[in-house]
Amino acid sequence: MNRWPFRSAVLLLLALVSPLACAAPSEPALIPLPAQMQRDEGRFVVSDATPVVAEGEAARQAAKYFVEHANTTQKLALRVSAGPAKRAIVFAIDPKASTNSEGYALQVRADGATVKASDPRGLFYGAVTLWQLLESDGGAVQAPAVRIDDAPRFAWRGLMLDTARHFRSVDEVKRLLDALALHKLNTFHWHLTDDQGWRIEIKKYPKLTGIGGCRFPAGDGGVDPNTGEPRPYCGFYTQDQIRDVVRYAAERHITIVPEIDVPGHAQAAIAAYPELGVLGTRPPVSNEWGVNTYLFNVEESTFRFLEDVLDEVSDLFPGTYIHLGGDEAVKDQWVSSARVQERMRELGVKNEAQMQSYMIARLEKHLEIKRKRLIGWDEILEGGLPPQATVMSWRGTEGGIAAAQQNHDVVMSPVSHLYLDYLQTTSANEPPGRPATISLQKLYDYEPVPAALDAAQKKHILGVQANVWTEHMRSFARVQHAIFPRVAALAEIAWSPAKAKNFDDFRSRLPAQLLRYDALGIAYAKTPFEAEIAADADGGRDAKVSLSNPLGYPIRYTTDGRAPTASSPLYERPFEVPLPSRVRAAAFADGRMLAPASERALDAAALRTRTDEELTMCSNSLMLRLEDDGPADGERVIFNVDIFNPCWRWDGADLDGIAAVRVRAGRIPYFFQLAHDEPHRKFQPARSAHGELVIRAGCDGETLASLPLPAQPEKDGFLTLDAKLPGASGRRDLCFYFTGDTRPTMWAIDRVTLVPR
Ligand code: TNX
């Protein structure tokens, strides 16, 4: 009798039951890790009949939050009651429970659970922890017996969302706030104004949203496919919606820090009210990424405008901080304006950096009247800064160090580690974004308190924040991909004691967090959990296959076309397969597949093709992963391209028996304002009307082919060119680039195929 089908069925069943049971980790999979935890003997079984006891409003709120989430993820129908009860879950405010208002004490015993805190905030975080403790094997839900004494490491645990570049609905913002709370984050920095859109209703200046709330996207994305008419991209929050979001955040103990960016990133405001600008003319709301040159002017009337705006903003947001931006304000317009220079003389201001300082200081004074504190990006340090101002350090840690040394409070948010618009893996399944990868581990290993600071200066580090800039995130799915699971690592940086941090341990707790994401409907990034299949043709009959997972989870694979399971062979080292073959592979943890299996058909033809992701960039000047501009809605092709040097390499291409190289390229808009970086963009001189595709043996080597480009791509937006390589042989480093200044569009390679003789 053939026993294998039976065995597979059993394994399948095992794989289907909740992996939390299979995992049975000795330590509960809590994220972020609590400050102190002790595991005791036994477990508390929770059922629909388990009473949840809460006395007083604060306790009731925390209990309700716990019950809701226990219902969502564990299908428990718990009810909150006031009376004492046996074998209960108890939430209580207790002044002695914790000295930190965000701290709590939690105990689970075989006969019940208690969460106590001195403040509603702490009680709320205790509720989150208790929810995370719930485990189920498909049958009973239980929590391990444990004693936890917890409090956060940092007071500022933040995430910034840019809703200017791409707008997100109120519902999406709320879903995000919910998820932040479950990571014990307490600050939501809401980027509401930028060159590409003004997103907050200001009653006194309705054109800010009426005009500044819409832009016409570059290329096909800004054209209605049915009518051919321009199609605007619009969105803003009414003041009622803002109040609603503020209330929703407060219920989750999240403070919102609104950002109104001055004096740069102001093009949308100036498009609405040109009199606020330096040139006096009306620019369009920008549809280009990068650094735009439009600045607010420095007239008294503009200060009145900004103060009016800040008055309305202050009334909407009850939190202490208002963010005034200050980033990337290239001063060209101020330098070349006679009127701004005259104003600078009037004000006794020596240079443009001091002019920005004057502006920030004056607005800071105004915020003081409204009992608000000013925070801004680290550029606000240049030219001097009022002592009360807080600095958000993004350009590295230097700004943060300098600020703390000058006794300013600091929030660390370095582009190198905490920018979530940077992609997290090199997978071809990554969405558009910035491919200088910030992996989960890189983010996790970030330490926010610079060693360069002395003890007193270290106290100025309020905390950390990750930033989600959304130039490349058209959808909420992409925003979630950028945030999850990296926000789990951020949570641990922000909350857990520095000495408790351990990436391997974090990684072992992560699969349980993914199950929570699944249950909550959070569209986390799958790319860190994929198996990557790399193959190298060995002479033509066989290929050498290597498998990897960005996080190092074990990989199982098949070569017989079947889907990999928890019992498929475990990958240990590179192996050979005959051609053709089909390799399928997936990463596993606790017997569960972490992401859909990857698949690769290996045959001689497939191995002669490289996609843009598989090619190497000739330099790393400004690498982007960009999407096509069409179709207006739906899926678009994505290209890896260095916009400063659009040049790709195939190192060691095997040219034996090869007659030609076929290059498929797409044409995408060139929609970047690079200000002072613009001259670094190198356009190789063109020889023909529309430039050419040049292929060389090594980027400085002999030219193998130079093919003139047409004026237009084919109907589908692509172009296929065949370059004959007579007499090609051996291994060569092929280098591909396009010549000519092709703005406002540019060519980008989609794939390269070696065509045999
Ligand atoms: C720099 S970070 C910016 C943003 C961009 C971001 C893209 C900062 C204060 N300014 O305007 O969106 O780079 O990574």
Side-chain angles (χ1 to χ4, degrees), residues 165 194 265 327-328 377 394 419 421-422 434 469 471:
R165 272 57 175 272
D194 215 306
H265 291 287
D327 58 312
E328 299 181 322
W377 301 112
W394 75 274
Y419 267 39
D421 54 335
Y422 285 82
R434 310 193 65 171
W469 299 105
E471 288 94 330

Side-chain angles (χ1 to χ4, degrees), residues 510-531:
L510 194 57
Q513 185 80 351
L514 301 185
L515 287 176
R516 293 178 193 122
Y517 291 163
D518 284 333
L520 293 164
I522 292 173
Y524 61 92
K526 293 282 174 16
T527 45
F529 309 101
E530 283 172 2

